[in-house]
Amino acid sequence: MLKMGQCGITSSKTVLVFLNLIFWAAAGILCYVGAYVFVTFDDYDHFFEDVYTLIPAVTIIAVGALLFIIGLIGCCATVRESYCGLTTFVVILLLVFLTEVAVVVLGYVYRAKVEHEVNVSIKKVYDEYNGTNSNAQSRAIDYIQRQLQCCGIHNYSDWQNTQWYKESKNNSVPISCCKNNVVSCTGSLTRHADLYQQGCEALVVKKMEEIMMYVIWTALTFATIQMLGMLCAGVVLCRRSRDPAYELLITGGTYA
């Protein structure tokens, strides 16, 4: 009986220590994913009026920071076989697990809102384009057209409806619409083959939906790992509180 208890406890503790090391790695990955969402959002923020889209990113960074602390608590509590420490570890892990579930839900909610947000704001941003580097809307549009290799809202002909096109009167679109492999491109609409053919609206929506999916899958993956951590910690706690053999094992005592 004692050997069986020892085997079960040793296995649970080994897995738990290994999981705590994974938690440290997860903390770094979660913070990286959250920071990536922030940086990307900064490049596309003119196409979103609802800043609450960043809530999943803020939450996942907070979870990452907390996971580092959890890993430290878990390792110390496991090595010392502290009942209080393991209990604290399980409680905090449960709270983080629930937070990650909330991140998944929020990710799906805001992923569904991305298309509407872009549809509402993208025409306004294009209308405010003036072609100067000092204009934030101009920098944003030039950036996404180069980065996503697109031109206009639905295609390059959309530029003909903008105030910038009407004022410039040169029958051309911004240079950022030019394909990378065309050296002599001037943006002239008389040379359609030199321009990106696809519009930016669909690509911006696709990019932001992909980012939300990164957040969702990251949260789901580490939530699953945390469930295993809670299970192993629970096994150790149950053995310590209910199994006399385990108490003898950790104290070095013998049966009377």
Side-chain angles (χ1 to χ4, degrees):
M1 179 70 178
L2 182 59
K3 289 183 178 180
M4 290 179 62
Q6 181 179 6
C7 182
I9 292 299
T10 302
S11 298
S12 296
K13 286 172 61 181
T14 302
V15 173
L16 195 54
V17 170
F18 179 70
L19 285 174
N20 283 313
L21 295 177
I22 292 179
F23 289 158
W24 280 336
I29 294 172
L30 289 172
C31 289
Y32 171 81
V33 171
Y36 173 71
V37 174
F38 264 106
V39 172
T40 305
F41 183 86
D42 186 56
D43 294 328
Y44 294 84
D45 63 346
H46 288 89
F47 303 98
F48 294 90
E49 296 181 353
D50 187 0
V51 295
Y52 294 110
T53 308
L54 283 175
I55 288 180
V58 174
T59 307
I60 209 169
I61 289 176
V63 168
L66 193 56
L67 267 183
F68 181 82
I69 300 174
I70 289 174
L72 184 62
I73 294 174
C75 277
C76 294
T78 303
V79 171
R80 295 186 177 186
E81 297 172 341
S82 168
Y83 182 86
C84 180
L86 283 173
T87 302
T88 303
F89 172 75
V90 172
V91 171
I92 296 177
L93 206 56
L94 178 61
L95 292 175
V96 173
F97 172 78
L98 294 175
T99 303
E100 286 183 332
V101 171
V103 168
V104 172
V105 174
L106 286 172
Y108 271 109
V109 169
Y110 289 117
R111 184 175 181 271
K113 294 176 64 177
V114 164
E115 186 172 1
H116 173 72
E117 286 283 326
V118 175
N119 290 342
V120 168
S121 59
I122 193 167
K123 189 178 185 304
K124 178 181 177 182
V125 177
Y126 270 84
D127 286 340
E128 294 176 355
Y129 183 91
N130 64 14
T132 63
N133 195 50
S134 60
N135 180 262
Q137 287 78 7
S138 298
R139 291 197 306 271
I141 290 173
D142 286 335
Y143 173 82
I144 66 162
Q145 290 191 155
R146 291 192 181 99
Q147 189 77 8
L148 302 180
Q149 298 185 351
C150 57
C151 184
I153 299 174
H154 302 104
N155 55 57
Y156 58 81
S157 64
D158 292 326
W159 278 104
Q160 293 175 299
N161 300 319
T162 63
Q163 190 64 31
W164 173 83
Y165 177 86
K166 295 172 183 176
E167 291 177 356
S168 62
K169 299 178 181 179
N170 58 5
N171 195 35
S172 65
V173 295
I175 300 297
S176 57
C177 281
C178 294
K179 294 179 179 178
N180 291 332
N181 59 349
V182 181
V183 179
S184 60
C185 178
T186 61
S188 174
L189 287 174
T190 59
R191 300 179 62 180
H192 299 164
D194 293 350
L195 309 175
Y196 294 124
Q197 304 298 304
Q198 190 170 0
C200 295
E201 182 180 50
L203 293 178
V204 170
V205 171
K206 181 181 177 182
K207 179 72 173 179
M208 297 310 297
E209 286 181 341
E210 285 177 352
I211 291 172
M212 284 299 175
M213 285 306 300
Y214 292 153
V215 172
I216 290 169
W217 281 110
T218 302
L220 277 175
T221 300
F222 291 116
T224 303
I225 295 173
Q226 286 168 230
M227 285 183 65
L228 184 57
M230 287 187 288
L231 179 63
C232 291
V235 169
V236 176
L237 286 172
C238 288
R239 286 287 186 179
R240 177 158 186 174
S241 61
R242 297 180 182 179
D243 193 346
Y246 178 65
E247 290 295 335
L248 291 171
L249 179 66
I250 63 173
T251 59
T254 58
Y255 286 107

